[in-house]
């Protein structure tokens, strides 16, 4: 289960979530203030239980982002050509058992912080090279 800050959007995920991937792209910087920590699940496993505030914004030729138009919380990254949805990790009600497994788009990383762990880093996309990176 998860949702936005004000409760106008709630969702449920059936089945396992992918562990967390930190995205350092310029869009995530603008949305999150630095990097975006994302889990992921197949689209068929995600059910919206309340979508009163849900809105979608097309951010590129390849994806749209779901957010709450009431409180502004960023919730989802949905690629048009894949059967999965990125879920902003902070919107999950419970992250017990999830761990960070890597960093993507480090070529666009902001200069005000350093990545200090030894997890895999990719200049751009990981292109499915991280564990359970649902297509």
């Amino acid at each position: 289960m998860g949702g936005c800050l004000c409760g106008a959007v709630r969702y449920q995920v059936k089945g396992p979530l992918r562990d967390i991937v930190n995205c350092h792209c310029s869009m995530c910087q603008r949305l999150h203030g630095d990097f975006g920590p994302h889990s992921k699940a197949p689209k068929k496993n995600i059910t919206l239980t309340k979508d009163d505030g849900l809105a979608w914004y097309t951010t590129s030729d390849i994806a749209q982002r779901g957010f709450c138009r009431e409180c502004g919380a960023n919730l989802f990254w949905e690629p048009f050509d894949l059967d999965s949805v990125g879920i902003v990790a902070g919107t999950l009600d419970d992250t017990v058992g999830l761990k960070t497994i890597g960093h993507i788009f480090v070529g666009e990383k902001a200069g005000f912080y350093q990545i200090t762990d030894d997890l895999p880093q990719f200049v751009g996309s990981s292109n499915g090279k991280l564990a359970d990176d649902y297509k």
Side-chain angles (χ1 to χ4, degrees):
M1 296 285 295
C4 67
L5 183 63
C6 73
V9 180
R10 296 287 302 160
Y11 62 86
Q12 182 175 14
V13 181
K14 294 181 182 172
L17 290 164
R18 185 203 60 200
D19 281 320
I20 309 303
V21 173
N22 293 331
C23 180
H24 301 270
C25 78
S26 60
M27 283 190 249
C28 280
Q29 291 172 43
R30 292 184 186 277
L31 287 166
H32 302 285
D34 55 11
F35 61 87
H38 293 91
S39 183
K40 194 183 242 185
K43 288 179 184 179
K44 66 181 181 183
N45 291 359
I46 301 171
T47 303
L48 292 169
T49 58
K50 186 174 182 186
D51 64 356
D52 297 343
L54 184 62
W56 292 94
Y57 178 70
T58 300
T59 52
S60 70
D61 293 346
I62 64 166
Q64 63 182 356
R65 294 178 189 261
F67 65 96
C68 177
R69 66 176 161 261
E70 301 297 325
C71 67
N74 184 27
L75 297 154
F76 306 113
W77 179 80
E78 183 177 40
F80 299 126
D81 65 344
L82 298 178
D83 191 32
S84 60
V85 175
I87 300 168
V88 176
T91 69
L92 292 162
D93 292 346
D94 183 4
T95 57
V96 173
L98 294 175
K99 63 185 181 308
T100 303
I101 59 171
H103 302 271
I104 59 174
F105 291 96
V106 297
E108 299 178 30
K109 184 185 82 56
F112 62 84
Y113 66 93
Q114 300 300 315
I115 299 171
T116 58
D117 58 46
D118 294 326
L119 297 172
Q121 295 184 26
F122 300 86
V123 173
S125 172
S126 66
N127 292 314
K129 293 179 182 171
L130 292 168
D132 297 322
D133 201 8
Y134 306 106
K135 303 289 182 199

